[in-house]
Amino acid sequence: MPLLVFDPSITCTSPAGSCLLNMLEPVAGKSPLHLFIQETDLPDAQSVRKTKIPLPRRPVFVRAVLYTIFSTCAYFALRPRKAALKISTEGAFPFCDLCYAHFCHRFFLRRHRESIGGGWFRRGARFLTHGWGAFTERIAFRSAKTIVVPSHGIAREIKNVYPNLTQGKVRVIPNPVDAGRFSRPSDFTAAVLRQRLHIPQHAFVLSFCALGNFERKGLRLVLEALVGTRDLPTHLIVVGGTQSEIREFTSIAERLRVAEFVHFVGLQTDVRPYLWSSHTFVFPSAYEGFALVCLQAAAAGLPLIATAVSGMEDFIDSGVNGWNVDRTSDSIQSAIREAALAPERTAAMGQAAQTRVQLYRQELFQTRWLELLETESARTAEPGP
């Protein structure tokens, strides 16, 4: 059966889009694909049709609204005569058969709206984005026959917020990790990158990575925790963030007098060298649908210092492959000190994290999706009463 797939960015750098990309790679050539996208890393093929949706890069709220409007118009203008399975991430295209939900916007607004950071303009824009997501996800959950989520945590959330719309529909398929790609090469030398960042070779190095939303991801708490670890010494590499966020959090680090221990490197096309140059990954986020970056860090051989957000509650065995921490600077500081003062144990915990991440291999993810798509295609093809 043909698959119609709706997401603006089906690329290896997009959190949700990269999962779609992994799912579609083994499908291409077996089933006709029609992608409604702005950009994609899926190679051109005879069986792959691409409808480009023109979108601005910013602001995110306008981009989300325009994608839903334009993709819906494009679908109804090009509506295929044959039966097809319509797949959409969350509410990007609300009239889907299969909804792939990485986030529950209504749950976030009810429980975690105070974690929306930035100035008043940025907070307002992010609130509008989540509000639009809450509006469209409700339509998508009502329309969809099946809702796929990456973790048991987000499954509980959408069942709690939308009990009548999601009953009997939710299926958990953990997101994939390219464990081989993130594994540290035997010939990699961390000294070169640390020297470039002016990090002493004897320092204990933490890394933190996020595209943006530093406040929600917990970077302020990590900076506050560093105040109590200056005697070790501990250094932090911060990967990602917009220029305005980097300026804001650089000011916070200066005010806390830890700026010399914090290294902002901005958005990177390849985060692996920064992970490979670290001892531990820290990520005390307030809310995640699935903390994929944590599993990528685990694949790089790093133990995790993270809150029990969706995905991490299933992964971290505290004291074995990482530390489940409260979202307080004191709890984070305690875990950092424990990790830094016992480097051999910390390295062993990193190996345990790397072993456990094998349960999230790409081939397992693809097998689960192929089985689901066969079932959904058969159900969609069944004649109505």
Side-chain angles (χ1 to χ4, degrees):
M1 172 173 288
L3 304 181
L4 309 183
V5 186
F6 297 83
D7 186 89
S9 183
I10 304 179
T11 65
C12 59
T13 57
S14 167
S18 64
C19 298
L20 275 178
L21 183 65
N22 271 283
M23 180 266 281
L24 292 174
E25 284 175 343
V27 176
K30 296 181 180 179
S31 296
L33 299 179
H34 189 165
L35 311 183
F36 293 79
I37 42 89
Q38 181 187 36
E39 56 186 353
T40 181
D41 291 332
L42 192 70
D44 292 331
Q46 187 174 1
S47 61
V48 179
R49 181 181 179 184
K50 301 174 182 177
T51 295
K52 296 292 184 72
I53 308 296
L55 298 172
R57 289 290 177 183
R58 300 282 178 179
V60 175
F61 168 68
V62 173
R63 176 181 168 86
V65 173
L66 290 180
Y67 177 81
T68 300
I69 294 173
F70 290 164
S71 64
T72 301
C73 292
Y75 167 73
F76 284 106
L78 303 172
R79 191 166 186 170
R81 295 180 180 179
K82 295 181 179 179
L85 181 66
K86 302 183 291 295
I87 303 171
S88 172
T89 48
E90 296 155 23
F93 175 75
F95 311 106
C96 54
D97 302 308
L98 193 157
C99 181
Y100 192 15
H102 284 72
F103 205 93
C104 184
H105 295 274
R106 189 171 298 276
F107 179 88
F108 176 79
L109 289 175
R110 285 183 179 181
R111 302 286 184 88
H112 300 290
R113 69 170 65 190
E114 72 284 350
S115 67
I116 299 175
W120 67 268
F121 180 80
R122 188 189 301 160
R123 287 198 304 272
R126 287 173 174 168
F127 183 83
L128 286 174
T129 302
H130 288 299
W132 175 255
F135 171 71
T136 56
E137 73 185 6
R138 183 182 185 88
I139 302 172
F141 291 162
R142 183 186 299 276
S143 173
K145 299 180 179 68
T146 299
I147 302 167
V148 178
V149 296
S151 67
H152 291 92
I154 195 170
R156 286 195 304 271
E157 292 165 7
I158 66 173
K159 288 177 182 178
N160 177 272
V161 176
Y162 302 104
N164 297 326
L165 301 183
T166 60
Q167 188 173 8
K169 294 183 178 181
V170 181
R171 170 84 177 268
V172 178
I173 299 180
N175 283 346
V177 179
D178 189 346
R181 180 173 178 270
F182 279 88
S183 179
R184 183 189 290 113
S186 58
D187 60 350
F188 178 79
T189 303
V192 176
L193 189 144
R194 292 181 188 174
Q195 184 176 18
R196 178 163 63 84
L197 296 178
H198 305 291
I199 298 175
Q201 296 303 317
H202 65 280
F204 184 81
V205 182
L206 302 162
S207 54
F208 171 96
C209 182
L211 292 175
N213 290 305
F214 280 173
E215 190 70 37
R216 173 165 66 85
K217 306 287 185 177
L219 181 56
R220 183 190 300 267
L221 296 172
V222 179
L223 297 180
E224 291 173 355
L226 289 182
V227 173
T229 64
R230 287 178 292 191
D231 58 307
L232 294 178
T234 302
H235 283 248
L236 172 69
I237 299 174
V238 179
V239 184
T242 63
Q243 289 301 312
S244 60
E245 282 184 310
I246 291 173
R247 288 194 297 270
E248 176 187 351
F249 280 83
T250 297
S251 297
I252 294 172
E254 291 172 349
R255 187 168 66 251
L256 293 171
R257 299 182 180 179
V258 295
E260 64 181 293
F261 305 105
V262 183
H263 311 272
F264 292 92
V265 299
L267 292 170
Q268 300 290 324
T269 56
D270 189 357
V271 303
R272 294 175 300 169
Y274 300 95
L275 298 176
W276 295 337
S277 299
S278 306
H279 297 99
T280 303
F281 187 76
V282 58
F283 197 73
S285 182
Y287 178 84
E288 298 293 321
F290 187 87
L292 181 60
V293 67
C294 289
L295 297 188
Q296 292 170 340
L302 303 183
L304 309 176
I305 298 174
T307 43
V309 291
S310 295
M312 288 303 94
E313 62 176 3
D314 300 327
F315 183 83
I316 293 181
D317 186 356
S318 200
V320 176
N321 60 2
W323 292 264
N324 267 326
V325 294
D326 297 329
R327 203 166 186 271
T328 66
S329 56
D330 287 344
S331 181
I332 298 164
Q333 181 187 131
S334 177
I336 292 173
R337 293 193 67 86
E338 186 176 336
L341 293 173
E344 292 183 0
R345 177 171 177 260
T346 298
M349 293 172 70
Q351 292 175 359
Q354 194 171 45
T355 298
R356 185 169 178 79
V357 87
Q358 298 303 315
L359 297 174
Y360 298 79
R361 296 192 311 275
Q362 286 180 304
E363 54 267 32
L364 294 177
F365 171 83
Q366 291 172 342
T367 297
R368 291 165 181 152
W369 263 103
L370 285 172
E371 292 173 351
L372 177 64
L373 290 177
E374 288 180 3
T375 301
E376 294 301 313
S377 294
R379 182 161 67 164
T380 302
E382 291 177 355

